[in-house]
Every structure is written in C-alpha cells, then in structure tokens.
C-alpha cells in the first residue's frame, strides 16, 4: 500500500465536520469530505498511530453528544460508544431524597476534546467532557471508563463553569512516558498525573486568576488551552483567561510572557514539531476588562513566541486580512512538516494557512461555518 | 395499549412508522422502545433518565414534558406522540 502523502486539515464546525486536503507544498486546498451535517462538532482529531482514523466530538442539540469515528480518512463515519456520566447511573426522584443527599447527577452535556494515547499504548484514547469529566478508552473508543481520580477529585463540587461551560478541554500525553498526563479545565486550571491517571495534582503555580479574591489560588484559574513543546516536553505553553504563560519544568511553575503584547487574552495555542521553542497564539481584544473576543486592531494576526530569545514576533502585516475574526480554543494547529505549517480556523468560517512557518499566508477559498477546531493528519514519513 | 408516533428525526433510530407498546407509564414505554430499538438509547432521554431539552411527549394530545413527565400514567391512553420542539426562531 502506498504511503499517505497528503496533508489533511480536520475542521470541527458549528454545522459539521470537514476534511480539507493538499499535498506537502500546502498551497492548493480542496474540501475532500463533509459529515455530521447540522451538528456542533467541538473537536476532530487524527490518530497518528492508526493512519486514516479520525475521531469527532459531535454535540447534537437535540439528542446529545456522540463520539463519531472514521477509519477511511473521513469518507464514512459511524457512532462509536459515547461516555456516560460517572457520577451516578440512575436519577431518583428528588422528593424521595433525604436531606443532605448528594445533588442530582448531571448528564454528560458536551464532548470537548479527544486525545489519542501514547505511542506505546496504541489502543488508548482519552476524552474530555462537560461537566469537568475525563474518560479513558482502552479499545480505541469502543467503550469508555471514567477516570474517577479526576472526576471525583476532592472539592470538585465547588468547581464552577467558565463562560464556555464546565469543560475539560485540554489533554496532553508526555511523548516520553504514557504515565505523565496533563489536563486543563475551564475555571479550574491544570492538573498533572505521573502514574497514568491514578493520582493528580493541581499545577497552576504562578498563574493569576484575576476574577478570584485570592489572585493566585491553587485551583480556580480559567485556563483556555495548553500545548506541549514537542522538542522539549518539559516546556508547555498556556493561554489563560488572565494571560499567556510558559513553564519549563512540567508545570511546576508558570511564568507570564504575554505582558509585552498588551492584550494577552485569547483562547488558543499551538507549538510546531519542526521549530523547538516556538509557540503560536492569537490574542483577542479585552479592552475595558470585558473581552470582545475578536482579534486585536481589526485584522487577522498570529503572534509567535520564541522561548530561546524570549521575544514576540507578529507574523502578518495588518493590511493582509482586515476584519473582526474570532478564534476558539481549538482554533489553531501546526503540522509536523519542516517548515511547519500553521493553520487557523476562525469563528467567521475562514481557514488561514501558512505553509512556511508564518512567512506567507493564504486563505482557503471556501466559506465554512463557524470553526470550533482545527486538527492535522500528517503525511506518513 | 397506546399507539406510539415518533417524529421523522427519531424514526431513523426507531420504528419506521407507528407502533404499539404495552406499558403503564411513559418511563416504561421508553424503556421498552429502547429495548426494541437500541439506537434510541440516549436520544430521547439522557443517561440520568431525564427527557432531553427539546423532546416533547404528548399523551392523548397533552404535553406532559414539563409536568408529570416520564411518570405519567398511560392507563386508558390511546396515543403517545414523541416530538422535538422547534429549537430556533
């Protein structure tokens, strides 16, 4: 069988899933498939351990969430198991409950993020859901088990939702070890496990929560998204409600790097495999304390952080793509090629591509629905 | 035994036309429908047993979704319609 040579961009949108493909030059793009018509698709991810396998977190307004999977590059999809709330299986009549009984359970409301497991665990998949739930599958999504150590974390009854909900939206597996995992949850913060998810610790030291009475609490930061540096997995980058941060010690301590930008509010972050020490962010304006959630100064812009020089760089001229674009937390991704491709999907349904690590940019000529997530299926090397 | 009608959105998961189910309550009716048509599981109710947000259950033409809900008795009932409300507009 010939090796797959195509670069595929996987889009989760307000109205379905798109696969958009090109060759390794990444200059000409075409939509190769469309699925889940009318559904809110929060995340679509390729499983690099199984070429051609993609997972989609589909959230149907009428009949709830579904995990959908394809094994043929998006040509056909089918529903696989969908995780169920692990808090309680039945719903007793509230009138029959004694005083002080635990509150009625909440169903899984939305699926937010699906993450293939470590290369050494080729059948493991993780899934983050709302309200603040983590699941693990050991059979490629055929069944799911709740990760009780995070789902029953002491004090979680006090966790509150962020503006987008009580979502567990970031799941990161350290490429050096399947035992080191990180999760990020809105209005809660980041947690790390060193034993494959049996135990977790909050790792938010140094991250400000400007909306809390204690501005540097152990838990309660509103992290929006997290990315790991593939070349140095001790380094991770974080976009919070309260700013942009980096850690160089596996989240033991975070340092704010976004202050020179003025506005360092935003939702998304990505780090390319080909350029160690680089991370890409899309700051959104938050003037006056009330985030407007469109790009700063009325034009499309991506900011590059260089962790070696500790400097920021704008990747576009203001005149390139004027407009008020928004971008969601999964709205930026990088491919694994050299030079790195950078992909940004906006709430206005535009898909921007840089095939050369930000030197040049093109707009894919297609009017997509509002884009929630951008994922990559890389060519086989 | 009431006659059950599902709207077109639900018929793709359940019976293609009307059907009859022996049940004393709406909850028993849904349990039996889901047993016969596993694709309906979690489409009408979530995993806690609650009716989903936009589902409306009409018992002899009366919407019981926001009142007696799944506990509604089906004694002497002739028809049950399970529909989706308009989620827009």
């Amino acid at each position: 069988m010939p090796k797959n040579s195509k670069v595929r961009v996987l889009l989760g949108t307000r109205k379905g899933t798109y696969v958009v493909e090109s060759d390794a030059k990444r200059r000409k793009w075409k939509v190769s498939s469309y699925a889940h018509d009318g559904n809110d698709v929060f995340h679509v991810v390729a499983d690099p351990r199984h070429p051609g396998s993609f997972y989609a977190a589909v959230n149907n307004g009428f009949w709830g969430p579904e995990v959908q999977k394809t094994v043929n590059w998006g040509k056909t999809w089918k529903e696989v198991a969908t995780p169920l709330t692990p808090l309680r299986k039945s719903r007793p009549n509230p009138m029959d409950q004694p005083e002080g009984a635990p509150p009625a359970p909440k169903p899984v409301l939305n699926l937010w993020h699906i993450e293939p497991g470590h290369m050494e665990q080729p059948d493991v998949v993780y899934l983050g859901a709302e309200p603040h739930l983590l699941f693990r599958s050991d059979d490629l999504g055929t069944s799911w088990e709740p990760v009780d150590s995070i789902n029953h974390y002491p004090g979680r009854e006090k966790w509150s939702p962020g503006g987008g909900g009580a979502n567990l939206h970031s799941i990161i597996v350290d490429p050096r070890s399947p035992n080191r995992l990180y999760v990020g949850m809105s209005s809660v913060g980041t947690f790390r496990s060193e034993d494959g998810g049996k135990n977790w610790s909050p790792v938010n030291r140094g991250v400000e929560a400007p909306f809390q009475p204690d501005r540097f609490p152990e838990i309660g930061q509103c992290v929006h998204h997290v990315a790991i540096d593939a070349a140095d997995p001790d380094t991770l980058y974080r976009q919070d409600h309260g700013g942009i941060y980096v850690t160089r010690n596996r989240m033991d301590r975070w340092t704010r790097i976004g202050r020179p930008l003025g506005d360092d509010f935003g939702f998304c972050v990505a780090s390319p495999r080909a350029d160690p020490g680089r991370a890409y962010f899309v700051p959104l304006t938050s003037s006056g304390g009330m985030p407007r959630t469109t790009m700063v100064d009325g034009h499309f812009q991506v900011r590059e952080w260089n962790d070696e020089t500790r400097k920021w760089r704008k990747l576009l001229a203001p005149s390139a793509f004027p407009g008020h674009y928004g971008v969601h937390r999964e709205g930026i991704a990088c491919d694994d090629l050299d030079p790195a491709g950078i992909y940004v999907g906006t709430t206005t349904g535009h898909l921007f591509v840089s095939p050369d690590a930000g030197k040049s940019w093109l707009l894919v000529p297609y009017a997509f629905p509002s884009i929630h997530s951008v994922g990559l299926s890389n060519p086989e090397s | 035994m009431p006659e059950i009608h599902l709207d077109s959105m639900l018929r793709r998961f359940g019976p293609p036309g009307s059907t009859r189910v022996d049940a004393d309550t709406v909850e028993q009716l849904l349990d039996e429908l889901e047993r016969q048509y596993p694709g309906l599981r979690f489409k009408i109710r979530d995993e806690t047993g609650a009716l989903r947000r936009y589902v409306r259950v009409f018992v002899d033409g009366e919407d019981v979704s926001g009142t007696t809900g799944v506990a509604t008795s089906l004694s002497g009932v002739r028809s049950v319609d399970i529909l989706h409300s308009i989620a827009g507009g």
Side-chain angles (χ1 to χ4, degrees):
Chain A
M1 199 159 119
K3 282 186 177 176
N4 166 52
S5 61
K6 289 179 179 169
V7 181
R8 291 179 173 87
V9 180
L10 318 179
L11 299 181
T13 80
R14 180 76 183 80
K15 295 291 178 187
T17 298
Y18 293 81
V19 178
V20 190
E21 64 181 38
S22 179
D23 59 21
K25 291 180 184 169
R26 295 161 286 174
R27 291 281 174 190
K28 291 183 179 173
W29 294 87
K30 67 167 187 179
V31 173
S32 60
S33 71
Y34 173 55
H36 313 133
D37 183 12
N39 286 266
D40 236 335
V41 182
F42 282 16
H43 190 218
V44 189
V45 66
D47 187 342
R49 306 162 304 176
H50 303 281
S53 277
F54 309 153
Y55 295 87
V58 178
N59 296 300
N60 185 289
F62 289 104
W63 46 71
E66 291 178 5
V67 180
Q68 293 261 339
K69 183 177 180 181
T70 175
V71 293
N72 54 19
W73 311 97
K75 288 190 185 75
T76 57
W77 294 79
K78 71 171 188 177
E79 183 178 0
V80 291
T82 297
L84 304 176
T85 181
L87 302 179
R88 217 154 55 182
K89 293 288 182 190
S90 62
R91 193 177 73 140
N93 185 335
M95 300 303 287
D96 296 338
Q97 294 298 291
E99 210 168 309
K106 294 176 181 171
V108 173
L109 293 177
N110 286 307
L111 310 179
W112 279 87
H113 185 94
I114 303 173
E115 186 69 26
H118 195 272
M119 295 300 275
E120 293 172 8
Q121 298 177 330
D123 292 343
V124 172
V125 184
Y126 294 96
L127 188 152
E130 182 181 358
H132 292 140
L133 298 170
L134 179 65
F135 296 87
R136 171 178 164 137
S137 172
D138 284 286
D139 51 16
L140 293 172
T142 305
S143 64
W144 298 92
E145 287 297 323
V147 180
D148 286 339
S149 49
I150 199 81
N151 298 338
H152 292 289
Y153 194 83
R156 71 162 282 142
E157 66 277 3
K158 295 178 184 165
W159 296 353
S160 52
N167 43 51
L168 191 153
H169 51 66
S170 295
I171 305 169
I172 292 172
V173 182
D174 191 317
R176 299 165 299 188
S177 166
N179 289 328
R180 183 173 298 123
L181 306 170
Y182 305 92
V183 296
M185 294 178 271
S186 289
S187 285
V188 177
T190 46
F191 284 68
R192 183 180 66 207
S193 173
E194 296 282 358
D195 55 10
K198 293 186 185 73
N199 295 282
W200 296 84
S201 304
V203 277
N204 299 292
R205 197 167 163 225
V207 180
E208 186 174 6
F211 41 84
Q212 299 269 19
D214 174 3
R215 293 172 79 89
F216 290 93
E218 184 180 37
I219 295 174
Q221 287 82 352
C222 196
V223 59
H224 286 175
H225 214 52
V226 187
I228 194 165
D229 192 312
D232 176 13
D234 284 352
T235 297
L236 296 101
Y237 308 96
R238 170 175 179 150
Q239 173 68 66
D240 252 59
H241 189 101
I244 294 173
Y245 292 81
V246 65
T247 175
R248 303 177 186 100
N249 44 30
R250 303 182 300 284
M251 298 197 187
D252 282 344
R253 175 88 200 179
W254 293 91
T255 303
R256 189 169 182 179
I257 55 176
R259 286 195 191 281
L261 300 177
D263 270 316
D264 64 343
F265 173 84
F267 282 96
C268 61
V269 52
S271 180
R273 187 173 293 274
D275 294 317
R278 304 292 201 284
Y280 300 112
F281 296 84
V282 182
L284 303 176
T285 187
S286 58
S287 325
M290 183 57 71
R292 280 213 345 252
T293 64
T294 55
M295 292 183 200
V296 178
D297 294 336
H299 62 267
F300 177 67
Q301 184 61 272
V302 178
R303 298 281 197 147
E304 180 190 76
W305 169 253
N306 184 328
D307 206 48
E308 292 164 13
T309 63
R310 311 268 165 112
K311 287 190 174 155
W312 287 98
R313 188 164 70 98
K314 287 182 179 176
L315 298 186
L316 289 108
S319 58
F321 300 102
H324 288 98
Y325 307 96
V327 61
H328 287 164
R329 70 185 79 240
E330 303 273 9
I332 188 169
C334 298
D335 62 32
D336 287 351
L337 303 181
D338 189 6
I342 310 169
Y343 306 83
V344 181
T346 69
T347 55
T348 49
H350 297 88
L351 175 60
F352 294 97
V353 175
S354 172
D356 47 17
K359 286 197 185 81
S360 65
W361 288 84
L362 61 90
L363 180 58
V364 174
Y366 199 95
F368 297 101
S370 180
I371 295 172
H372 292 313
S373 81
V374 181
L376 260 297
S377 167
N378 289 287
E380 290 174 83
S381 52
Chain B
M1 197 183 298
E3 186 168 352
I4 319 299
H5 308 276
L6 302 183
D7 68 12
S8 58
M9 286 171 64
L10 288 168
R11 282 203 292 272
R12 57 187 272 213
F13 304 109
S18 61
T19 186
R20 289 183 185 275
V21 168
D22 190 12
D24 292 334
T25 64
V26 169
E27 183 167 38
Q28 287 181 16
L29 180 152
L30 294 175
D31 287 345
E32 179 59 19
L33 268 184
E34 290 172 2
R35 190 189 67 75
Q36 292 182 27
Y37 303 96
L40 278 174
R41 286 189 78 206
F42 310 122
K43 301 295 192 258
I44 298 173
R45 298 180 290 179
D46 65 35
E47 67 267 38
T48 71
L51 291 172
R52 288 206 179 274
R53 182 179 173 194
Y54 294 118
V55 167
R56 293 289 179 270
V57 178
F58 293 84
V59 174
D60 278 344
E62 184 183 348
D63 184 358
V64 300
S65 316
T67 54
T68 45
V70 295
T72 305
S73 169
L74 297 181
S75 175
V77 165
R78 292 189 306 278
S79 71
V80 175
D81 294 86
I82 304 175
L83 312 174
H84 283 90
S85 59
I86 296 170

